[in-house]
Amino acid sequence: MTEATPGMGTGAGAAAERAATGERTAAGERTADTGRTGTTATTGTTTPLLPRDECDKLETRLQHALSGFVDGPRAAVEEADRVLEEVAGRFTEAVSRRRRTLRGSWQEAETGEDKPASTTDTEQLRLALRDYRELAERLLRV
């Protein structure tokens, strides 16, 4: 028999999975997002910040900690703490990589010769700004 988690109602697992994957509702809006996705600088499509298998492993470790609470409360909380620390570190690394990619997309335009700003440069900057906004908004929704 599994223990019920406080605050989790019927269907919460399915809702959590929809939120974790950023699934769209019937109205076409994105459900809550865990921050796992970013936006590519060139296409505007979403890409995972963390690979799905890494997320699955971390979720499995957290579930293991939760299920071990009854037999070893302190060990379960310590493991949950380690998992959260690892999750935070992985997301920090992923966001830093994403920022470097975004920065590279618009700073490349600056490295050119002394030429007036072209429509292409402005378009690159517009796309970069959009990608920064989308990533920041996604992280703020977490």
Side-chain angles (χ1 to χ4, degrees):
M1 182 172 161
T2 59
E3 295 275 324
T5 304
M8 297 287 282
T10 306
E17 178 59 26
R18 283 192 304 276
T21 60
E23 183 177 299
R24 293 188 182 275
T25 65
E29 299 171 333
R30 288 185 72 81
T31 57
D33 199 310
T34 62
R36 288 188 203 169
T37 56
T39 307
T40 62
T42 56
T43 64
T45 59
T46 57
T47 58
L49 279 174
L50 295 179
R52 184 75 214 167
D53 63 326
E54 277 187 53
C55 292
D56 290 344
K57 288 175 187 175
L58 291 165
E59 288 172 353
T60 299
R61 284 181 53 201
L62 184 58
Q63 287 301 319
H64 184 265
L66 294 171
S67 65
F69 182 79
V70 173
D71 295 329
R74 179 170 293 280
V77 172
E78 289 171 348
E79 175 62 8
D81 179 67
R82 286 189 295 270
V83 171
L84 181 58
E85 181 177 28
E86 190 169 340
V87 167
R90 298 273 176 104
F91 274 106
T92 299
E93 291 169 14
V95 170
S96 293
R97 278 192 310 271
R98 183 73 186 115
R99 280 190 63 219
R100 280 191 298 276
T101 301
L102 284 170
R103 202 175 308 124
S105 74
W106 62 268
Q107 285 181 339
E108 287 173 0
E110 289 181 354
T111 61
E113 298 174 17
D114 292 332
K115 59 181 180 179
S118 70
T119 305
T120 304
D121 294 340
T122 303
E123 180 64 9
Q124 272 186 302
L125 292 170
R126 185 189 72 76
L127 291 172
L129 183 59
R130 180 202 62 198
D131 292 344
Y132 275 111
R133 182 196 71 214
E134 288 176 356
L135 180 57
E137 286 175 347
R138 185 162 280 126
L139 292 171
L140 289 170
R141 281 195 304 257
V142 172

